[in-house]
Amino acid sequence: MSMNNKQRWMGGAVLLGGGVLLAALLLKGKEEIHQNKIKTPESAELAQQKNKNAEGEMVQLQPLTVDVETEKRLLDEQRRAREKAVAEQEARAAEFLAAQQKAEAEAARKAAEEYAALNAHRTGAQQSSDNIPPELIEDEKAKQKRLAEEKLAAQKKQDQLKAQQKSEADKKDVEAQRKADAQKKAEAERKAEAQKKAEDERKAEAAKKVEAERKEEAKKKAEAERKAEAAKKAEADRKEEAKKKAEAEKARDLLENGDKQWMVQVALAANEANADALASKLRAKGYKVTKSPTSKGVRIMVGPSKNREAADAARKKITTDPSLNMKSAWVIDWVPLDKR
């Protein structure tokens, strides 16, 4: 066997051994990835369950927010927690990718070391890149291409995960902002309603006060008018009473000191009509009748007579006349109005 054939055989054996080792490492890495993927959802599910329980406990224990500032503070804390979780996931993914790349590099390094050790035992051959089998070169290029594709796929998946998490975070932020705006709007409407109610109550109270003042003023005015009317009436009554008293005094003085005439007073009519009827009846009998109004009625008198005796005789005649029916006549000394 020639040296070139031996070298080719040994190179093929090394290449085959390195390929087997690389395939074993890749299979082991894929199995670890698969196990991690299996464990990761379970861990995520357990963590999510714990978070839900913790959130449930927090919902039970935390009091309801009462203002917009507290709501914003809680939303900022939730957003920071989400960002921290995303950063941790990115860090774990980067560590996993770095470990994978490190394992692949380690496998490639070991294969290269084995190949270099094999070439070191070659006698009379110069270590050169020209002696590397073309199959190994092709496998290295395929490996680099595969690694680049896997890295690109992992980066793409990581970008999609980031975009999804950012979208969910944006949705939550938008929903939180919407709730905060709705709460702020409701608070503003409540304040406006309370202010409107207070203004209406103030206006109603002012209107009620104005109405009460108007009624009180009307009452005072009516009371003043009533008092003025009462005073006016009292003054009129006083004047009328004084006038009557003066007239009575004057009449008494005339009766006592003036020119007297003897008259027979036959009746005191309540009104002028009754007085006219009595006067007509007496005139029909031939008597001279005189009417004199007083404060108590209309006085009906017969006469005058020359003296008291003549007047008393006329009285007896009138009282004994059954057709006249005037039995309560009496004699008075009377002063005519034109002589008072």
PDB file of all heavy atoms in Angstrom, residues 43 66 319:
ATOM      1  N   SER A  43     -42.398  23.830  33.635  1.00  0.00           N
ATOM      2  CA  SER A  43     -41.958  24.845  34.611  1.00  0.00           C
ATOM      3  C   SER A  43     -42.726  26.137  34.421  1.00  0.00           C
ATOM      4  O   SER A  43     -43.129  26.789  35.379  1.00  0.00           O
ATOM      5  CB  SER A  43     -40.446  25.109  34.448  1.00  0.00           C
ATOM      6  OG  SER A  43     -39.720  23.917  34.642  1.00  0.00           O
ATOM      7  N   VAL A  66     -58.047  53.507  44.801  1.00  0.00           N
ATOM      8  CA  VAL A  66     -59.044  54.561  44.994  1.00  0.00           C
ATOM      9  C   VAL A  66     -58.756  55.794  44.152  1.00  0.00           C
ATOM     10  O   VAL A  66     -59.563  56.703  44.106  1.00  0.00           O
ATOM     11  CB  VAL A  66     -59.111  54.968  46.480  1.00  0.00           C
ATOM     12  CG1 VAL A  66     -59.646  53.825  47.303  1.00  0.00           C
ATOM     13  CG2 VAL A  66     -57.757  55.399  46.995  1.00  0.00           C
ATOM     14  N   THR A 319    -152.961 108.845  72.358  1.00  0.00           N
ATOM     15  CA  THR A 319    -152.832 107.520  72.967  1.00  0.00           C
ATOM     16  C   THR A 319    -154.165 106.809  73.105  1.00  0.00           C
ATOM     17  O   THR A 319    -154.197 105.571  73.171  1.00  0.00           O
ATOM     18  CB  THR A 319    -152.176 107.643  74.354  1.00  0.00           C
ATOM     19  OG1 THR A 319    -152.938 108.553  75.157  1.00  0.00           O
ATOM     20  CG2 THR A 319    -150.738 108.133  74.225  1.00  0.00           C
TER      21      THR A 319
END
